[in-house]
PDB file of all heavy atoms in Angstrom:
ATOM      1  N   LEU A 200      30.012-173.264  72.696  1.00  0.00           N
ATOM      2  CA  LEU A 200      28.660-172.709  72.779  1.00  0.00           C
ATOM      3  C   LEU A 200      27.853-173.543  73.752  1.00  0.00           C
ATOM      4  O   LEU A 200      27.877-174.774  73.698  1.00  0.00           O
ATOM      5  CB  LEU A 200      27.998-172.740  71.393  1.00  0.00           C
ATOM      6  CG  LEU A 200      26.465-172.646  71.344  1.00  0.00           C
ATOM      7  CD1 LEU A 200      26.007-171.216  71.611  1.00  0.00           C
ATOM      8  CD2 LEU A 200      25.931-173.137  69.997  1.00  0.00           C
ATOM      9  N   GLU A 201      27.120-172.874  74.655  1.00  0.00           N
ATOM     10  CA  GLU A 201      26.111-173.532  75.487  1.00  0.00           C
ATOM     11  C   GLU A 201      24.762-172.915  75.128  1.00  0.00           C
ATOM     12  O   GLU A 201      24.551-171.716  75.317  1.00  0.00           O
ATOM     13  CB  GLU A 201      26.419-173.352  76.970  1.00  0.00           C
ATOM     14  CG  GLU A 201      27.639-174.137  77.424  1.00  0.00           C
ATOM     15  CD  GLU A 201      27.889-174.039  78.924  1.00  0.00           C
ATOM     16  OE1 GLU A 201      27.137-173.301  79.606  1.00  0.00           O
ATOM     17  OE2 GLU A 201      28.816-174.697  79.413  1.00  0.00           O
ATOM     18  N   TRP A 202      23.876-173.756  74.631  1.00  0.00           N
ATOM     19  CA  TRP A 202      22.624-173.282  74.025  1.00  0.00           C
ATOM     20  C   TRP A 202      21.459-173.993  74.702  1.00  0.00           C
ATOM     21  O   TRP A 202      21.371-175.224  74.667  1.00  0.00           O
ATOM     22  CB  TRP A 202      22.686-173.567  72.525  1.00  0.00           C
ATOM     23  CG  TRP A 202      21.433-173.376  71.736  1.00  0.00           C
ATOM     24  CD1 TRP A 202      20.412-172.509  71.959  1.00  0.00           C
ATOM     25  CD2 TRP A 202      21.090-174.096  70.542  1.00  0.00           C
ATOM     26  NE1 TRP A 202      19.456-172.621  70.999  1.00  0.00           N
ATOM     27  CE2 TRP A 202      19.847-173.588  70.108  1.00  0.00           C
ATOM     28  CE3 TRP A 202      21.713-175.103  69.808  1.00  0.00           C
ATOM     29  CZ2 TRP A 202      19.208-174.086  68.960  1.00  0.00           C
ATOM     30  CZ3 TRP A 202      21.084-175.574  68.669  1.00  0.00           C
ATOM     31  CH2 TRP A 202      19.848-175.076  68.258  1.00  0.00           C
ATOM     32  N   THR A 203      20.587-173.228  75.339  1.00  0.00           N
ATOM     33  CA  THR A 203      19.395-173.772  75.997  1.00  0.00           C
ATOM     34  C   THR A 203      18.193-172.924  75.607  1.00  0.00           C
ATOM     35  O   THR A 203      18.330-171.897  74.931  1.00  0.00           O
ATOM     36  CB  THR A 203      19.545-173.766  77.529  1.00  0.00           C
ATOM     37  OG1 THR A 203      19.500-172.400  78.005  1.00  0.00           O
ATOM     38  CG2 THR A 203      20.855-174.417  77.967  1.00  0.00           C
ATOM     39  N   GLU A 204      17.033-173.322  76.072  1.00  0.00           N
ATOM     40  CA  GLU A 204      15.836-172.524  75.806  1.00  0.00           C
ATOM     41  C   GLU A 204      15.877-171.204  76.561  1.00  0.00           C
ATOM     42  O   GLU A 204      15.112-170.285  76.250  1.00  0.00           O
ATOM     43  CB  GLU A 204      14.575-173.306  76.183  1.00  0.00           C
ATOM     44  CG  GLU A 204      14.477-173.664  77.644  1.00  0.00           C
ATOM     45  CD  GLU A 204      13.209-174.459  77.942  1.00  0.00           C
ATOM     46  OE1 GLU A 204      12.282-174.409  77.118  1.00  0.00           O
ATOM     47  OE2 GLU A 204      13.164-175.117  79.000  1.00  0.00           O
ATOM     48  N   ALA A 205      16.780-171.081  77.542  1.00  0.00           N
ATOM     49  CA  ALA A 205      16.869-169.861  78.333  1.00  0.00           C
ATOM     50  C   ALA A 205      17.935-168.899  77.833  1.00  0.00           C
ATOM     51  O   ALA A 205      17.797-167.679  77.991  1.00  0.00           O
ATOM     52  CB  ALA A 205      17.147-170.200  79.799  1.00  0.00           C
ATOM     53  N   SER A 206      19.013-169.403  77.238  1.00  0.00           N
ATOM     54  CA  SER A 206      20.116-168.507  76.868  1.00  0.00           C
ATOM     55  C   SER A 206      21.039-169.130  75.833  1.00  0.00           C
ATOM     56  O   SER A 206      21.030-170.348  75.618  1.00  0.00           O
ATOM     57  CB  SER A 206      20.936-168.142  78.115  1.00  0.00           C
ATOM     58  OG  SER A 206      21.573-169.292  78.637  1.00  0.00           O
ATOM     59  N   ILE A 207      21.845-168.275  75.229  1.00  0.00           N
ATOM     60  CA  ILE A 207      22.946-168.675  74.354  1.00  0.00           C
ATOM     61  C   ILE A 207      24.210-168.077  74.945  1.00  0.00           C
ATOM     62  O   ILE A 207      24.325-166.851  75.079  1.00  0.00           O
ATOM     63  CB  ILE A 207      22.725-168.182  72.915  1.00  0.00           C
ATOM     64  CG1 ILE A 207      21.522-168.897  72.294  1.00  0.00           C
ATOM     65  CG2 ILE A 207      23.972-168.390  72.069  1.00  0.00           C
ATOM     66  CD1 ILE A 207      21.114-168.354  70.940  1.00  0.00           C
ATOM     67  N   LYS A 208      25.153-168.922  75.324  1.00  0.00           N
ATOM     68  CA  LYS A 208      26.404-168.478  75.931  1.00  0.00           C
ATOM     69  C   LYS A 208      27.573-168.983  75.091  1.00  0.00           C
ATOM     70  O   LYS A 208      27.570-170.147  74.685  1.00  0.00           O
ATOM     71  CB  LYS A 208      26.534-168.994  77.366  1.00  0.00           C
ATOM     72  CG  LYS A 208      25.440-168.503  78.303  1.00  0.00           C
ATOM     73  CD  LYS A 208      25.629-169.080  79.710  1.00  0.00           C
ATOM     74  CE  LYS A 208      24.538-168.607  80.648  1.00  0.00           C
ATOM     75  NZ  LYS A 208      24.716-169.149  82.032  1.00  0.00           N
ATOM     76  N   ILE A 209      28.546-168.124  74.875  1.00  0.00           N
ATOM     77  CA  ILE A 209      29.701-168.480  74.058  1.00  0.00           C
ATOM     78  C   ILE A 209      30.970-168.197  74.857  1.00  0.00           C
ATOM     79  O   ILE A 209      31.080-167.161  75.528  1.00  0.00           O
ATOM     80  CB  ILE A 209      29.686-167.721  72.726  1.00  0.00           C
ATOM     81  CG1 ILE A 209      28.412-168.118  71.928  1.00  0.00           C
ATOM     82  CG2 ILE A 209      30.936-168.017  71.906  1.00  0.00           C
ATOM     83  CD1 ILE A 209      28.217-167.360  70.638  1.00  0.00           C
ATOM     84  N   TYR A 210      31.912-169.142  74.770  1.00  0.00           N
ATOM     85  CA  TYR A 210      33.121-169.104  75.593  1.00  0.00           C
ATOM     86  C   TYR A 210      34.364-169.197  74.726  1.00  0.00           C
ATOM     87  O   TYR A 210      34.363-169.821  73.661  1.00  0.00           O
ATOM     88  CB  TYR A 210      33.148-170.301  76.554  1.00  0.00           C
ATOM     89  CG  TYR A 210      31.989-170.401  77.514  1.00  0.00           C
ATOM     90  CD1 TYR A 210      30.736-170.862  77.092  1.00  0.00           C
ATOM     91  CD2 TYR A 210      32.142-170.072  78.862  1.00  0.00           C
ATOM     92  CE1 TYR A 210      29.675-170.965  77.976  1.00  0.00           C
ATOM     93  CE2 TYR A 210      31.095-170.190  79.760  1.00  0.00           C
ATOM     94  CZ  TYR A 210      29.864-170.634  79.302  1.00  0.00           C
ATOM     95  OH  TYR A 210      28.815-170.750  80.192  1.00  0.00           O
ATOM     96  N   LEU A 211      35.436-168.602  75.220  1.00  0.00           N
ATOM     97  CA  LEU A 211      36.771-168.815  74.679  1.00  0.00           C
ATOM     98  C   LEU A 211      37.614-169.458  75.778  1.00  0.00           C
ATOM     99  O   LEU A 211      37.794-168.854  76.847  1.00  0.00           O
ATOM    100  CB  LEU A 211      37.405-167.493  74.236  1.00  0.00           C
ATOM    101  CG  LEU A 211      38.899-167.560  73.891  1.00  0.00           C
ATOM    102  CD1 LEU A 211      39.151-168.489  72.718  1.00  0.00           C
ATOM    103  CD2 LEU A 211      39.456-166.173  73.630  1.00  0.00           C
ATOM    104  N   ASP A 212      38.101-170.666  75.523  1.00  0.00           N
ATOM    105  CA  ASP A 212      38.906-171.388  76.525  1.00  0.00           C
ATOM    106  C   ASP A 212      38.205-171.409  77.879  1.00  0.00           C
ATOM    107  O   ASP A 212      38.797-171.120  78.933  1.00  0.00           O
ATOM    108  CB  ASP A 212      40.298-170.758  76.643  1.00  0.00           C
ATOM    109  CG  ASP A 212      41.114-170.928  75.372  1.00  0.00           C
ATOM    110  OD1 ASP A 212      40.927-171.947  74.682  1.00  0.00           O
ATOM    111  OD2 ASP A 212      41.927-170.038  75.062  1.00  0.00           O
ATOM    112  N   ASP A 213      36.898-171.727  77.849  1.00  0.00           N
ATOM    113  CA  ASP A 213      36.051-171.874  79.037  1.00  0.00           C
ATOM    114  C   ASP A 213      35.757-170.566  79.760  1.00  0.00           C
ATOM    115  O   ASP A 213      35.226-170.582  80.876  1.00  0.00           O
ATOM    116  CB  ASP A 213      36.661-172.879  80.029  1.00  0.00           C
ATOM    117  CG  ASP A 213      36.739-174.285  79.463  1.00  0.00           C
ATOM    118  OD1 ASP A 213      35.809-174.677  78.734  1.00  0.00           O
ATOM    119  OD2 ASP A 213      37.717-174.991  79.746  1.00  0.00           O
ATOM    120  N   VAL A 214      36.080-169.423  79.159  1.00  0.00           N
ATOM    121  CA  VAL A 214      35.763-168.121  79.753  1.00  0.00           C
ATOM    122  C   VAL A 214      34.606-167.502  78.978  1.00  0.00           C
ATOM    123  O   VAL A 214      34.712-167.264  77.769  1.00  0.00           O
ATOM    124  CB  VAL A 214      36.981-167.184  79.742  1.00  0.00           C
ATOM    125  CG1 VAL A 214      36.593-165.813  80.282  1.00  0.00           C
ATOM    126  CG2 VAL A 214      38.114-167.780  80.562  1.00  0.00           C
ATOM    127  N   LEU A 215      33.506-167.244  79.661  1.00  0.00           N
ATOM    128  CA  LEU A 215      32.317-166.681  79.023  1.00  0.00           C
ATOM    129  C   LEU A 215      32.583-165.259  78.546  1.00  0.00           C
ATOM    130  O   LEU A 215      33.100-164.437  79.292  1.00  0.00           O
ATOM    131  CB  LEU A 215      31.158-166.671  80.030  1.00  0.00           C
ATOM    132  CG  LEU A 215      29.836-166.062  79.554  1.00  0.00           C
ATOM    133  CD1 LEU A 215      29.164-166.962  78.532  1.00  0.00           C
ATOM    134  CD2 LEU A 215      28.902-165.818  80.739  1.00  0.00           C
ATOM    135  N   PHE A 216      32.253-164.958  77.292  1.00  0.00           N
ATOM    136  CA  PHE A 216      32.361-163.580  76.825  1.00  0.00           C
ATOM    137  C   PHE A 216      31.134-163.124  76.039  1.00  0.00           C
ATOM    138  O   PHE A 216      31.067-161.959  75.616  1.00  0.00           O
ATOM    139  CB  PHE A 216      33.629-163.372  75.986  1.00  0.00           C
ATOM    140  CG  PHE A 216      33.603-163.968  74.600  1.00  0.00           C
ATOM    141  CD1 PHE A 216      33.273-163.186  73.503  1.00  0.00           C
ATOM    142  CD2 PHE A 216      33.908-165.303  74.389  1.00  0.00           C
ATOM    143  CE1 PHE A 216      33.257-163.716  72.221  1.00  0.00           C
ATOM    144  CE2 PHE A 216      33.899-165.844  73.111  1.00  0.00           C
ATOM    145  CZ  PHE A 216      33.569-165.054  72.026  1.00  0.00           C
ATOM    146  N   TYR A 217      30.157-164.016  75.877  1.00  0.00           N
ATOM    147  CA  TYR A 217      28.936-163.638  75.141  1.00  0.00           C
ATOM    148  C   TYR A 217      27.739-164.309  75.792  1.00  0.00           C
ATOM    149  O   TYR A 217      27.790-165.502  76.138  1.00  0.00           O
ATOM    150  CB  TYR A 217      29.039-164.089  73.680  1.00  0.00           C
ATOM    151  CG  TYR A 217      27.796-163.811  72.856  1.00  0.00           C
ATOM    152  CD1 TYR A 217      27.710-162.672  72.069  1.00  0.00           C
ATOM    153  CD2 TYR A 217      26.707-164.673  72.864  1.00  0.00           C
ATOM    154  CE1 TYR A 217      26.568-162.404  71.304  1.00  0.00           C
ATOM    155  CE2 TYR A 217      25.565-164.413  72.116  1.00  0.00           C
ATOM    156  CZ  TYR A 217      25.498-163.283  71.330  1.00  0.00           C
ATOM    157  OH  TYR A 217      24.380-163.017  70.590  1.00  0.00           O
ATOM    158  N   GLU A 218      26.642-163.544  75.946  1.00  0.00           N
ATOM    159  CA  GLU A 218      25.410-164.142  76.457  1.00  0.00           C
ATOM    160  C   GLU A 218      24.201-163.414  75.876  1.00  0.00           C
ATOM    161  O   GLU A 218      24.141-162.182  75.876  1.00  0.00           O
ATOM    162  CB  GLU A 218      25.367-164.081  77.980  1.00  0.00           C
ATOM    163  CG  GLU A 218      24.131-164.748  78.570  1.00  0.00           C
ATOM    164  CD  GLU A 218      24.175-164.885  80.075  1.00  0.00           C
ATOM    165  OE1 GLU A 218      25.167-164.411  80.690  1.00  0.00           O
ATOM    166  OE2 GLU A 218      23.236-165.464  80.652  1.00  0.00           O
ATOM    167  N   LEU A 219      23.268-164.176  75.368  1.00  0.00           N
ATOM    168  CA  LEU A 219      22.006-163.657  74.834  1.00  0.00           C
ATOM    169  C   LEU A 219      20.862-164.410  75.491  1.00  0.00           C
ATOM    170  O   LEU A 219      20.870-165.640  75.538  1.00  0.00           O
ATOM    171  CB  LEU A 219      21.952-163.835  73.317  1.00  0.00           C
ATOM    172  CG  LEU A 219      20.616-163.470  72.636  1.00  0.00           C
ATOM    173  CD1 LEU A 219      20.410-161.958  72.655  1.00  0.00           C
ATOM    174  CD2 LEU A 219      20.575-163.992  71.206  1.00  0.00           C
ATOM    175  N   THR A 220      19.896-163.683  76.013  1.00  0.00           N
ATOM    176  CA  THR A 220      18.716-164.324  76.577  1.00  0.00           C
ATOM    177  C   THR A 220      17.839-164.870  75.458  1.00  0.00           C
ATOM    178  O   THR A 220      17.446-164.126  74.552  1.00  0.00           O
ATOM    179  CB  THR A 220      17.914-163.330  77.432  1.00  0.00           C
ATOM    180  OG1 THR A 220      18.751-162.853  78.491  1.00  0.00           O
ATOM    181  CG2 THR A 220      16.684-163.992  78.022  1.00  0.00           C
ATOM    182  N   ASN A 221      17.551-166.154  75.504  1.00  0.00           N
ATOM    183  CA  ASN A 221      16.702-166.780  74.491  1.00  0.00           C
ATOM    184  C   ASN A 221      15.239-166.627  74.895  1.00  0.00           C
ATOM    185  O   ASN A 221      14.911-166.484  76.076  1.00  0.00           O
ATOM    186  CB  ASN A 221      17.071-168.258  74.358  1.00  0.00           C
ATOM    187  CG  ASN A 221      16.586-168.859  73.053  1.00  0.00           C
ATOM    188  OD1 ASN A 221      16.032-168.162  72.197  1.00  0.00           O
ATOM    189  ND2 ASN A 221      16.793-170.150  72.880  1.00  0.00           N
ATOM    190  N   SER A 222      14.358-166.663  73.919  1.00  0.00           N
ATOM    191  CA  SER A 222      12.922-166.546  74.201  1.00  0.00           C
ATOM    192  C   SER A 222      12.134-167.165  73.055  1.00  0.00           C
ATOM    193  O   SER A 222      12.685-167.461  71.988  1.00  0.00           O
ATOM    194  CB  SER A 222      12.518-165.077  74.369  1.00  0.00           C
ATOM    195  OG  SER A 222      12.577-164.390  73.130  1.00  0.00           O
ATOM    196  N   ALA A 223      10.841-167.321  73.273  1.00  0.00           N
ATOM    197  CA  ALA A 223       9.974-167.942  72.273  1.00  0.00           C
ATOM    198  C   ALA A 223       9.859-167.089  71.011  1.00  0.00           C
ATOM    199  O   ALA A 223       9.504-167.595  69.941  1.00  0.00           O
ATOM    200  CB  ALA A 223       8.588-168.195  72.866  1.00  0.00           C
ATOM    201  N   SER A 224      10.177-165.784  71.117  1.00  0.00           N
ATOM    202  CA  SER A 224      10.062-164.907  69.954  1.00  0.00           C
ATOM    203  C   SER A 224      11.276-164.992  69.027  1.00  0.00           C
ATOM    204  O   SER A 224      11.263-164.425  67.939  1.00  0.00           O
ATOM    205  CB  SER A 224       9.887-163.455  70.422  1.00  0.00           C
ATOM    206  OG  SER A 224      11.047-163.000  71.098  1.00  0.00           O
ATOM    207  N   LEU A 225      12.322-165.694  69.454  1.00  0.00           N
ATOM    208  CA  LEU A 225      13.540-165.824  68.661  1.00  0.00           C
ATOM    209  C   LEU A 225      13.558-167.173  67.943  1.00  0.00           C
ATOM    210  O   LEU A 225      12.896-168.121  68.380  1.00  0.00           O
ATOM    211  CB  LEU A 225      14.763-165.688  69.562  1.00  0.00           C
ATOM    212  CG  LEU A 225      14.938-164.331  70.250  1.00  0.00           C
ATOM    213  CD1 LEU A 225      16.134-164.357  71.191  1.00  0.00           C
ATOM    214  CD2 LEU A 225      15.095-163.216  69.227  1.00  0.00           C
ATOM    215  N   PRO A 226      14.341-167.295  66.875  1.00  0.00           N
ATOM    216  CA  PRO A 226      14.353-168.548  66.107  1.00  0.00           C
ATOM    217  C   PRO A 226      15.282-169.609  66.688  1.00  0.00           C
ATOM    218  O   PRO A 226      15.500-170.631  66.040  1.00  0.00           O
ATOM    219  CB  PRO A 226      14.855-168.089  64.734  1.00  0.00           C
ATOM    220  CG  PRO A 226      15.742-166.928  65.026  1.00  0.00           C
ATOM    221  CD  PRO A 226      15.117-166.230  66.201  1.00  0.00           C
ATOM    222  N   PHE A 227      15.800-169.377  67.899  1.00  0.00           N
ATOM    223  CA  PHE A 227      16.813-170.272  68.459  1.00  0.00           C
ATOM    224  C   PHE A 227      16.194-171.367  69.329  1.00  0.00           C
ATOM    225  O   PHE A 227      16.733-171.711  70.387  1.00  0.00           O
ATOM    226  CB  PHE A 227      17.839-169.458  69.242  1.00  0.00           C
ATOM    227  CG  PHE A 227      18.425-168.321  68.446  1.00  0.00           C
ATOM    228  CD1 PHE A 227      18.245-167.003  68.831  1.00  0.00           C
ATOM    229  CD2 PHE A 227      19.139-168.574  67.278  1.00  0.00           C
ATOM    230  CE1 PHE A 227      18.764-165.963  68.092  1.00  0.00           C
ATOM    231  CE2 PHE A 227      19.674-167.539  66.522  1.00  0.00           C
ATOM    232  CZ  PHE A 227      19.478-166.226  66.926  1.00  0.00           C
ATOM    233  N   ASN A 228      15.077-171.873  68.891  1.00  0.00           N
ATOM    234  CA  ASN A 228      14.394-172.950  69.606  1.00  0.00           C
ATOM    235  C   ASN A 228      13.968-174.046  68.633  1.00  0.00           C
ATOM    236  O   ASN A 228      12.930-174.693  68.808  1.00  0.00           O
ATOM    237  CB  ASN A 228      13.176-172.398  70.368  1.00  0.00           C
ATOM    238  CG  ASN A 228      13.566-171.377  71.413  1.00  0.00           C
ATOM    239  OD1 ASN A 228      14.114-171.717  72.460  1.00  0.00           O
ATOM    240  ND2 ASN A 228      13.322-170.098  71.126  1.00  0.00           N
ATOM    241  N   ALA A 229      14.792-174.241  67.619  1.00  0.00           N
ATOM    242  CA  ALA A 229      14.547-175.264  66.602  1.00  0.00           C
ATOM    243  C   ALA A 229      15.897-175.841  66.188  1.00  0.00           C
ATOM    244  O   ALA A 229      16.942-175.419  66.678  1.00  0.00           O
ATOM    245  CB  ALA A 229      13.823-174.645  65.405  1.00  0.00           C
ATOM    246  N   ASP A 230      15.864-176.823  65.285  1.00  0.00           N
ATOM    247  CA  ASP A 230      17.108-177.472  64.855  1.00  0.00           C
ATOM    248  C   ASP A 230      18.019-176.512  64.099  1.00  0.00           C
ATOM    249  O   ASP A 230      17.554-175.672  63.307  1.00  0.00           O
ATOM    250  CB  ASP A 230      16.791-178.665  63.949  1.00  0.00           C
ATOM    251  CG  ASP A 230      16.324-179.876  64.737  1.00  0.00           C
ATOM    252  OD1 ASP A 230      16.424-179.836  65.983  1.00  0.00           O
ATOM    253  OD2 ASP A 230      15.872-180.840  64.112  1.00  0.00           O
ATOM    254  N   PHE A 231      19.323-176.672  64.321  1.00  0.00           N
ATOM    255  CA  PHE A 231      20.363-175.945  63.595  1.00  0.00           C
ATOM    256  C   PHE A 231      21.388-176.951  63.074  1.00  0.00           C
ATOM    257  O   PHE A 231      21.444-178.097  63.526  1.00  0.00           O
ATOM    258  CB  PHE A 231      21.070-174.938  64.517  1.00  0.00           C
ATOM    259  CG  PHE A 231      20.390-173.591  64.594  1.00  0.00           C
ATOM    260  CD1 PHE A 231      19.098-173.471  65.087  1.00  0.00           C
ATOM    261  CD2 PHE A 231      21.048-172.443  64.188  1.00  0.00           C
ATOM    262  CE1 PHE A 231      18.475-172.234  65.173  1.00  0.00           C
ATOM    263  CE2 PHE A 231      20.435-171.199  64.265  1.00  0.00           C
ATOM    264  CZ  PHE A 231      19.141-171.090  64.752  1.00  0.00           C
ATOM    265  N   PHE A 232      22.200-176.531  62.093  1.00  0.00           N
ATOM    266  CA  PHE A 232      23.308-177.366  61.634  1.00  0.00           C
ATOM    267  C   PHE A 232      24.610-176.578  61.719  1.00  0.00           C
ATOM    268  O   PHE A 232      24.613-175.343  61.805  1.00  0.00           O
ATOM    269  CB  PHE A 232      23.070-177.897  60.217  1.00  0.00           C
ATOM    270  CG  PHE A 232      22.910-176.837  59.147  1.00  0.00           C
ATOM    271  CD1 PHE A 232      24.015-176.339  58.462  1.00  0.00           C
ATOM    272  CD2 PHE A 232      21.641-176.356  58.799  1.00  0.00           C
ATOM    273  CE1 PHE A 232      23.866-175.386  57.466  1.00  0.00           C
ATOM    274  CE2 PHE A 232      21.489-175.398  57.804  1.00  0.00           C
ATOM    275  CZ  PHE A 232      22.605-174.908  57.139  1.00  0.00           C
ATOM    276  N   LEU A 233      25.732-177.290  61.693  1.00  0.00           N
ATOM    277  CA  LEU A 233      27.060-176.714  61.887  1.00  0.00           C
ATOM    278  C   LEU A 233      27.707-176.324  60.562  1.00  0.00           C
ATOM    279  O   LEU A 233      27.495-176.989  59.541  1.00  0.00           O
ATOM    280  CB  LEU A 233      27.959-177.717  62.602  1.00  0.00           C
ATOM    281  CG  LEU A 233      27.536-178.123  64.016  1.00  0.00           C
ATOM    282  CD1 LEU A 233      28.201-179.430  64.407  1.00  0.00           C
ATOM    283  CD2 LEU A 233      27.881-177.022  64.998  1.00  0.00           C
ATOM    284  N   ILE A 234      28.538-175.272  60.592  1.00  0.00           N
ATOM    285  CA  ILE A 234      29.272-174.826  59.408  1.00  0.00           C
ATOM    286  C   ILE A 234      30.691-174.432  59.823  1.00  0.00           C
ATOM    287  O   ILE A 234      30.895-173.777  60.846  1.00  0.00           O
ATOM    288  CB  ILE A 234      28.591-173.615  58.727  1.00  0.00           C
ATOM    289  CG1 ILE A 234      27.114-173.911  58.430  1.00  0.00           C
ATOM    290  CG2 ILE A 234      29.326-173.227  57.441  1.00  0.00           C
ATOM    291  CD1 ILE A 234      26.352-172.713  57.898  1.00  0.00           C
ATOM    292  N   LEU A 235      31.668-174.824  58.993  1.00  0.00           N
ATOM    293  CA  LEU A 235      33.073-174.432  59.164  1.00  0.00           C
ATOM    294  C   LEU A 235      33.563-173.881  57.842  1.00  0.00           C
ATOM    295  O   LEU A 235      33.381-174.521  56.794  1.00  0.00           O
ATOM    296  CB  LEU A 235      33.935-175.631  59.562  1.00  0.00           C
ATOM    297  CG  LEU A 235      33.497-176.473  60.761  1.00  0.00           C
ATOM    298  CD1 LEU A 235      34.335-177.740  60.848  1.00  0.00           C
ATOM    299  CD2 LEU A 235      33.607-175.668  62.046  1.00  0.00           C
ATOM    300  N   ASN A 236      34.195-172.711  57.837  1.00  0.00           N
ATOM    301  CA  ASN A 236      34.689-172.181  56.569  1.00  0.00           C
ATOM    302  C   ASN A 236      35.756-171.126  56.783  1.00  0.00           C
ATOM    303  O   ASN A 236      35.897-170.559  57.875  1.00  0.00           O
ATOM    304  CB  ASN A 236      33.555-171.590  55.728  1.00  0.00           C
ATOM    305  CG  ASN A 236      32.999-170.304  56.294  1.00  0.00           C
ATOM    306  OD1 ASN A 236      32.208-170.340  57.256  1.00  0.00           O
ATOM    307  ND2 ASN A 236      33.379-169.182  55.723  1.00  0.00           N
TER     308      ASN A 236
END
């Protein structure tokens, strides 16, 4: 995952397959924690 104030990008083996434009209206500009299950 590459996560910035501008975008969220997700890769498989360094190949991009997901991208979401981030913005102030979304909750992706604060702390998050990791989960594995």
Side-chain angles (χ1 to χ4, degrees):
L200 160 76
E201 290 184 357
W202 170 30
T203 70
E204 62 181 341
S206 65
I207 293 173
K208 299 179 180 181
I209 298 175
Y210 301 77
L211 169 62
D212 294 328
D213 296 323
V214 176
L215 178 71
F216 73 97
Y217 177 96
E218 183 171 3
L219 174 71
T220 300
N221 199 4
S222 70
S224 65
L225 296 176
F227 307 117
N228 298 287
D230 283 351
F231 273 62
F232 60 89
L233 297 160
I234 307 174
L235 308 170
N236 71 282

